[in-house]
Amino acid sequence: MKIPASILHDLKGIAGFDEQDFIAAHNAKPPVSVRKHPIKGVNLFHSEQTVPWCPGGVYLPERPVFTLDPSFHAGAYYVQEASSMFLHHLLKDVIAERKNLRVLDLCAAPGGKSTLIASMLDEESLLISNEVIRPRAAILEENISRWGYMNTWVTGNDPRDLGKLSGYFDIIVVDAPCSGSGLWRKDAAALNEWSEGNVTMCSARQQRILADVWPALKENGILVYATCSYSPIENEAVLDWLAANYEVKSITSNTEQFPGIVASISPQKKMNCYRFFPGKVAGEGFFIATLQKNEQSETLRISKTKSARNQKTQDAASYLTDCKETIFLQTKEDSYSAIRASHEADMQLLQKAVYIRKTGLEAGVPTAKEWLPAHDIALSIEISKTITGVETTREQALHFLKREDMRIDNLAKGWYVVRYNGLGLGWIKALGNRVNNYLPKNWRIRMDIE
Ligand code: SAM
């Protein structure tokens, strides 16, 4: 791999940068890592080497074909490069100290950071996982459904729209679109597309994104800024720009226990930040910093009016464990979503300002005869233990995931969750003479499974 001379030049003098090491690492194989779902993934990957800064993070000895693993489709783990899992270390103290949080993951697709954050929050907190680029938002939605948390919602907005939610968020994560040099080792196309001009353009866009969303952060709220770029003008310089234009306090984190992670500091405003260089850590290039907003924000008043309840949703309630705290609201033409009752006011507020793509768990559609359960429920950690399921072999599970007809003998008529190692993959309906596969079309595996 031929590293552009200009980036080697820009990195000279940056804490922790060692040119020889850097070049050698870019010619080595990248490690493969996944992060286990804290509930669904407990039985997986016990003998693997762990990622030291993130519980559930493990390195795999080689890259399996994830598409052919039903546990992957069940959301038992998320494939994520290890450096970016450091977000867990930075957020854990912030989250432990504050309860009932409203968190925004502003640039969220495909969902690596959002699934990590979702697993850290208590159920009273709410995560808004946002992605402005439409096709990417669809992938995000799928990954959020797979992860299965009712308190993760998906929006599809420009940062400026979210900025209208003055003082609403306790934490905002901006994993900014960037020139992508940190991913060269994993993705050769990122190297071919890289140019100095693009780095400059990204830096300006990063500042614009931060300026646009800044009003939505509460006073004393936490901003996490991250990129997968090595370029100082997308990293330290952006922090310096933030500190020059807003009242902020830099936040440090103890990284002594993680040799290889480089604690750095921005040249002008002395903002703390963390750099990840392949060769120094088992992970890809990454940059991350945390700071606190030290200025007043106008705060939106949240006034709650009760949304219209519908008797039909009583049938849906039996699908979920904690239906006492859950309400069902009509969110699309004929379908209903389940949210925690304590998030009803949030929904009303957000609905006015932003485009909500997914409000809690999609619960299904009532018909004259029955409740048609939504795919989300089958994947959710909230699904009631009393829902009957059919345990499948790996081969049966893959046929289900290809959306093929299933042959299961002696199945009484009704709805069943298809399970693999106890984890839900989707719904089938037994009709007596045949079994219908209710996997959504766009979730179908397109790969040859033989
Ligand atoms: N956080 C994601 C994860 O961990 O899986 C990765 C995010 S990626 C580094 C940056 C995201 O920002 C992309 O999904 C991209 O579509 C989105 N993006 C692009 N332009 C944007 C803009 N102007 N404002 C906000 N987000 C943007």
Side-chain angles (χ1 to χ4, degrees):
M1 182 177 289
K2 180 92 184 79
I3 309 284
S6 62
I7 207 158
L8 297 175
H9 174 265
D10 287 352
L11 283 172
K12 283 211 166 75
I14 288 286
F17 176 68
D18 175 327
E19 187 169 324
Q20 259 185 343
D21 234 31
F22 186 80
I23 293 172
H26 278 84
N27 289 305
K29 228 170 122 188
V32 180
S33 50
V34 300
R35 184 171 35 77
K36 299 195 281 182
H37 191 294
I39 299 164
K40 301 187 193 191
V42 280
N43 296 324
L44 296 174
F45 310 121
H46 283 303
S47 54
E48 313 299 353
Q49 199 194 330
T50 57
V51 176
W53 45 84
C54 181
V58 291
Y59 294 102
L60 306 186
E62 56 196 46
R63 193 175 184 87
V65 182
F66 290 113
T67 310
L68 297 183
D69 178 10
S71 304
F72 166 75
H73 297 275
Y77 58 90
Y78 189 95
V79 183
Q80 186 174 36
E81 76 79 23
S83 303
S84 53
M85 296 182 200
F86 187 67
L87 177 64
H88 185 281
H89 182 73
L90 289 188
L91 281 185
K92 74 177 178 3
D93 294 338
V94 174
I95 289 178
E97 284 162 14
R98 303 166 189 227
K99 288 272 168 293
N100 201 10
L101 297 171
R102 299 295 176 266
V103 183
L104 171 64
D105 184 8
L106 181 66
C107 314
K113 312 282 183 310
S114 282
T115 52
L116 184 151
I117 300 164
S119 299
M120 296 181 77
L121 296 176
D122 65 301
E123 57 192 6
E124 282 302 326
S125 294
L126 180 64
L127 170 62
I128 303 300
S129 179
N130 179 72
E131 171 58 46
V132 66
I133 311 274
R134 217 180 269 188
R136 290 181 60 82
I139 297 165
L140 173 67
E141 224 176 304
E142 212 176 292
N143 285 330
I144 296 298
S145 288
R146 208 170 264 140
W147 213 242
Y149 287 71
M150 194 189 284
N151 60 346
T152 307
W153 302 2
V154 179
T155 58
N157 285 80
D158 187 274
R160 208 174 317 122
D161 301 323
L162 285 146
K164 290 182 199 145
L165 298 167
S166 293
Y168 174 69
F169 291 106
D170 301 273
I171 300 175
I172 297 182
V173 176
V174 178
D175 187 19
C178 68
S179 60
S181 44
L183 299 182
W184 283 342
R185 195 163 68 155
K186 265 178 55 183
D187 176 9
L191 176 57
N192 298 333
E193 283 160 22
W194 189 88
S195 69
E196 284 179 72
N198 192 35
V199 171
T200 314
M201 190 277 285
C202 285
S203 176
R205 180 169 61 186
Q206 287 147 0
Q207 292 170 25
R208 203 167 56 239
I209 289 173
L210 288 166
D212 283 346
V213 80
W214 186 252
L217 189 60
K218 264 188 193 144
E219 182 176 2
N220 298 327
I222 299 294
L223 177 83
V224 180
Y225 176 72
T227 74
C228 54
S229 161
Y230 295 115
S231 296
I233 69 160
E234 295 184 71
N235 296 326
E236 286 87 351
V238 173
L239 297 182
D240 275 339
W241 170 85
L242 256 174
N245 287 282
Y246 304 96
E247 292 296 323
V248 298
K249 184 177 126 199
S250 179
I251 295 186
T252 49
S253 181
N254 188 354
T255 53
E256 274 166 25
Q257 70 270 43
F258 311 126
I261 296 181
V262 179
S264 180
I265 195 152
S266 70
Q268 287 169 17
K269 297 287 181 180
K270 309 295 173 214
M271 304 294 285
N272 299 287
C273 46
Y274 301 92
R275 277 187 169 269
F276 293 70
F277 292 108
K280 282 203 170 320
V281 289
E284 302 315 300
F286 186 57
F287 174 91
I288 193 162
T290 313
L291 48 89
Q292 184 170 318
K293 179 172 183 173
N294 271 5
E295 55 188 58
Q296 278 191 331
S297 292
E298 202 184 305
T299 311
L300 287 176
R301 272 196 34 228
I302 305 186
S303 56
K304 182 169 149 187
T305 50
K306 268 201 167 172
S307 312
R309 278 16 184 208
N310 193 314
Q311 281 302 314
K312 293 182 205 163
T313 58
Q314 274 173 0
D315 290 342
S318 63
Y319 283 97
L320 299 174
T321 320
D322 189 10
C323 34
K324 283 195 296 300
E325 297 296 331
T326 307
I327 55 169
F328 296 88
L329 300 171
Q330 195 164 1
T331 46
K332 291 193 184 133
E333 263 165 48
D334 54 355
S335 74
Y336 286 75
S337 293
I339 63 169
R340 274 188 85 75
S342 53
H343 295 153
E344 190 172 5
D346 296 87
M347 195 196 71
Q348 289 164 357
L349 177 97
L350 289 165
Q351 257 177 350
K352 285 186 202 144
V354 298
Y355 164 44
I356 312 182
R357 292 181 61 110
K358 173 170 154 56
T359 323
L361 295 179
E362 217 173 295
V365 178
T367 67
K369 281 201 196 139
E370 60 178 349
W371 186 267
L372 303 181
H375 189 57
D376 260 18
I377 304 251
L379 293 163
S380 172
I381 54 168
E382 317 272 355
I383 189 169
S384 164
K385 304 269 177 300
T386 61
I387 297 293
T388 30
V390 179
E391 185 61 33
T392 54
T393 61
R394 178 174 176 273
E395 198 189 351
Q396 286 172 317
L398 287 175
H399 282 290
F400 170 75
L401 291 165
K402 265 194 92 76
R403 213 162 176 270
E404 290 171 357
D405 287 342
M406 306 222 18
R407 285 203 35 224
I408 302 171
D409 297 330
N410 306 322
L411 210 52
K413 285 184 185 176
W415 289 95
Y416 296 85
V417 177
V418 176
R419 296 202 171 106
Y420 177 72
N421 287 340
L423 301 178
L425 292 172
W427 293 102
I428 51 172
K429 189 177 183 189
L431 300 170
N433 52 352
R434 66 169 203 277
V435 174
N436 281 349
N437 185 334
Y438 274 80
L439 188 83
K441 278 199 188 87
N442 52 326
W443 286 64
R444 181 171 61 90
I445 296 182
R446 287 175 179 83
M447 191 174 186
D448 199 356
I449 58 173
E450 301 308 334

